[in-house]
Amino acid sequence: MTAPAGTIRIYNTLSRRKETFETIDPGKVRMYVCGVTPYDSAHIGHGMSMTVFDIIRRYLEHRGYEVRHIQNFTDIDDKIIARANREGIDPNDLTEDLISQWHAETAELGALPASYYPRATQEVGPIIEMIEGLIEKGHAYPVGGDVYFRVRSFPTYGKLSHRDLDDLFSGARIEVDERKDDPLDFALWKAVKPGEPSWESPWGPGRPGWHIECSAMSSTYLDGMVDIHGGGSDLIFPHHENEIAQSEAFLGHEPFARYWVHNGLVKVGADKMSKSLGNFVRLRDILDRGLGPAFRLMVLQGHYRAPLTYSEEGLIAAERGLERLRLAADPDAPVSDADGIEGGGEDLAALAAESDRRFHEAMDDDFNSPIAVSVLFDLARAINRERAGGADGATVEPARAKLAELAGVLGVDVTPAESDAGNAGPFIDLLLKVRGELRAAKQWALSDLIRDELAALGVSVEDTAGGATWSAKRG
RNA sequence: GGCGCCAUAGCCAAGCGGUAAGGCACGGGUCUGCAAAACCCUGAUCGGCGGUUCGAAUCCGCCUGGCGCCUCCA
């Protein structure tokens, strides 16, 4: 269902302001998200980025846009070669394996697959063409089998990261390669070294440098102009800065990307989480515990541009919150008719309408998901309050349906927890039936024993007015 | 050294000029055989000091404490 039209505003790293979102083609969004260099398994930082851009994409689609979402794999790089050599395997086998893991993890995280996933190694032709074009235009020069981009030839270099060339130079932490015209020039093509994979090129055998593959791929798959170009904020410099320089110098027009969107980084404790710091948490570990949906909610509860402080408690807190949303969104949730608890007698249809308005207002404003999520919780509380007061399903339905709908827009799965009990279901039902008899006979010790033992097995039992219900713990 | 960002209740986290969303935890209740879940109640004046303003968590300055980028990184 498409919501009523509203103006979407997006923060653009380039202008450092929120801008009204207007696409190149009406109703269509060209989105390029920097994927990964697959040299190791994904961590939750990748998970955050995947989730953030999945939410942005879902919301734009919800708003009626058709989104062409391209996500690349830079499957040739120093680290890939280093690891493959260390393990004595073919770099291709390594990247194939990691890429298939990536796809599996994307799916388990509940992120929609991209429209297409180009790979650097399969785009060498376009990459070489682009490099040749840059040389012709004087923006690049070959040196002994390498090719470098001449940073000083691109007057607006630094506009994305808001840096001055001379400030960068004064940073003086760049290895000085005497063969380069300028220390800041970066490699477009790297001459082959012993033991490395290589491709033929006008400059001899070699391989693409780091940034050029994204320029070539975004150009190839999004017609040389993109609406949204995204990635983690650690990519702003040098990766995206270099990408702009290459693409705009080559294409001869700017901007090559209209909205630069960057997500905040995951922190563990006070520090940024990264492979090099060794403080990373593998995405796989969270997924295997069945906490993928909780992770998504945790990401949503913070703003996408702000750093996300990750902790085990934070993840568990999100899981608890998610359970509350699930209960509220469950059409078969038990209704209490206990005395002493009164419903608010609210107009839930009106609440649903108001919630819808607030939700879209928040998401339209640079994807303010924390507020959108708070709307979900407000709905949940109202629903539970009415149910606690004995309201029937029909009374609660407008709010319940709205909650499920809005959660769905964010990709939050609030469908009732599926039983992980496998074939044990009927036996558990049987046990609870027996326990019911015991309770009727006030055999509390035995009935409590059954409940405790089931709990130890990961099955929680709850007694409600309508009888006992059970649910298996996820994971 | 350069550029930039952030400091909001126990933890996480919105708000960005009109007297503090939401989540989790804690405590007190209701319900329950007990429990669980749910519901109700309870908690902050926004790092510090100045300034601008009728009015500031929100703007400016200084200070203190963190972080990020400048090198591979989502």
Side-chain angles (χ1 to χ4, degrees):
Chain A
M1 155 177 172
T2 299
T7 304
I8 294 175
R9 287 161 58 76
I10 299 181
Y11 181 88
N12 191 345
T13 304
L14 194 58
S15 64
R16 289 174 166 168
R17 297 172 54 178
K18 286 182 193 173
E19 299 176 2
T20 299
F21 184 60
E22 288 172 1
T23 57
I24 297 162
D25 306 313
K28 294 185 179 179
V29 177
R30 305 184 200 176
M31 181 164 97
Y32 186 92
V33 180
C34 276
V36 279
T37 299
Y39 73 93
D40 199 355
S41 43
H43 58 230
I44 55 178
H46 296 114
M48 172 164 182
S49 195
M50 267 188 232
T51 303
V52 163
F53 287 99
D54 180 63
I55 290 159
I56 288 175
R57 173 190 166 175
R58 282 175 186 267
Y59 190 69
L60 292 173
E61 289 183 341
H62 169 69
R63 278 306 206 182
Y65 287 102
E66 182 186 312
V67 180
R68 180 160 173 75
H69 171 194
I70 303 297
Q71 182 176 124
N72 70 287
F73 287 113
T74 299
D75 58 348
I76 182 67
D77 154 275
D78 292 346
K79 288 188 177 178
I80 292 171
I81 295 167
R83 180 167 173 191
N85 286 164
R86 198 179 333 123
E87 298 185 4
I89 57 176
D90 187 296
N92 278 321
D93 293 339
L94 174 65
T95 56
E96 278 300 333
D97 183 39
L98 291 170
I99 287 171
S100 64
Q101 282 181 36
W102 180 275
H103 286 135
E105 288 163 359
T106 298
E108 284 177 60
L109 246 194
L112 300 169
S115 313
Y116 187 66
Y117 293 93
R119 302 185 189 186
T121 57
Q122 289 167 17
E123 308 294 333
V124 176
I127 288 172
I128 289 175
E129 278 175 40
M130 185 172 268
I131 296 173
E132 286 183 307
L134 286 169
I135 292 174
E136 279 170 30
K137 294 182 180 186
H139 290 293
Y141 55 94
V143 178
D146 292 337
V147 180
Y148 292 97
F149 184 87
R150 183 174 283 121
V151 168
R152 302 267 177 188
S153 77
F154 189 71
T156 56
Y157 189 84
K159 66 183 174 185
L160 180 69
S161 53
H162 305 283
R163 285 190 168 90
D164 184 81
L165 268 181
D166 298 315
D167 288 341
L168 276 172
F169 186 65
S170 71
R173 293 175 63 181
I174 298 153
E175 265 183 53
V176 177
D177 182 336
E178 296 301 330
R179 301 176 310 152
K180 293 198 278 188
D181 286 3
D182 187 292
L184 295 172
D185 291 353
F186 55 90
L188 298 173
W189 188 261
K190 295 180 170 183
V192 66
K193 289 180 206 148
E196 291 185 352
S198 65
W199 288 261
E200 283 306 320
S201 83
W203 317 284
R207 58 188 169 89
W210 177 31
H211 318 290
I212 191 70
E213 83 287 3
C214 279
S215 286
M217 291 187 269
S218 57
S219 203
T220 301
Y221 295 99
L222 294 171
D223 302 325
M225 256 214 276
V226 321
D227 289 303
I228 294 177
H229 195 124
S233 56
D234 52 351
L235 293 179
I236 296 171
F237 190 91
H239 186 56
H240 288 160
E241 192 69 63
N242 290 354
E243 218 181 306
I244 289 178
Q246 293 163 345
S247 292
E248 295 185 355
F250 175 77
L251 297 166
H253 67 72
E254 66 172 299
F256 122 77
R258 296 155 67 96
Y259 304 90
W260 286 89
V261 178
H262 294 97
N263 63 272
L265 305 179
V266 173
K267 293 194 310 173
V268 171
D271 301 310
K272 163 189 168 183
M273 183 187 72
S274 73
K275 290 180 184 174
S276 48
L277 284 178
N279 61 350
F280 67 91
V281 177
R282 283 177 205 278
L283 187 53
R284 182 81 266 158
D285 294 340
I286 286 176
L287 295 173
D288 285 346
R289 293 168 62 201
L291 295 173
F295 179 76
R296 172 174 289 254
L297 184 62
M298 183 168 72
V299 170
L300 281 162
Q301 285 188 293
H303 187 87
Y304 80 89
R305 280 191 281 116
L308 173 69
T309 306
Y310 173 83
S311 70
E312 175 66 18
E313 314 138 77
L315 188 62
I316 298 305
E319 175 66 10
R320 293 293 312 273
L322 187 56
E323 281 168 9
R324 206 149 72 79
L325 292 178
R326 283 183 182 133
L327 176 70
D330 183 354
D332 300 322
V335 171
S336 164
D337 59 355
D339 299 331
I341 295 182
E342 292 176 19
E346 284 180 75
D347 180 346
L348 292 187
L351 178 70
E354 173 65 7
S355 296
D356 188 272
R357 207 208 88 243
R358 287 205 292 142
F359 178 91
H360 288 96
E361 184 177 271
M363 290 299 287
D364 281 348
D365 182 16
D366 195 32
F367 311 107
N368 196 329
S369 63
I371 290 179
V373 168
S374 77
V375 171
L376 265 38
F377 278 103
D378 287 345
L379 274 168
R381 191 182 314 101
I383 292 166
N384 288 335
R385 184 162 45 217
E386 292 303 313
R387 281 178 178 155
D392 59 23
T395 304
V396 159
E397 185 54 21
R400 204 226 105 244
K402 181 57 69 181
L403 171 57
E405 178 202 329
L406 296 180
V409 170
L410 300 177
V412 174
D413 178 16
V414 289
T415 55
E418 300 208 355
S419 158
D420 273 356
N423 297 325
F427 296 99
I428 296 172
D429 289 337
L430 176 62
L431 270 172
L432 291 191
K433 197 171 175 185
V434 172
R435 180 169 172 274
E437 297 296 323
L438 289 170
R439 290 187 68 219
K442 298 192 190 301
Q443 296 287 314
W444 309 128
L446 271 178
S447 71
D448 288 352
L449 178 70
I450 291 173
R451 186 174 63 198
D452 293 344
E453 294 292 318
L454 282 172
L457 295 171
V459 176
S460 64
V461 173
E462 296 181 13
D463 295 314
T464 70
T469 63
W470 63 272
S471 58
K473 209 171 168 183
R474 294 195 179 202

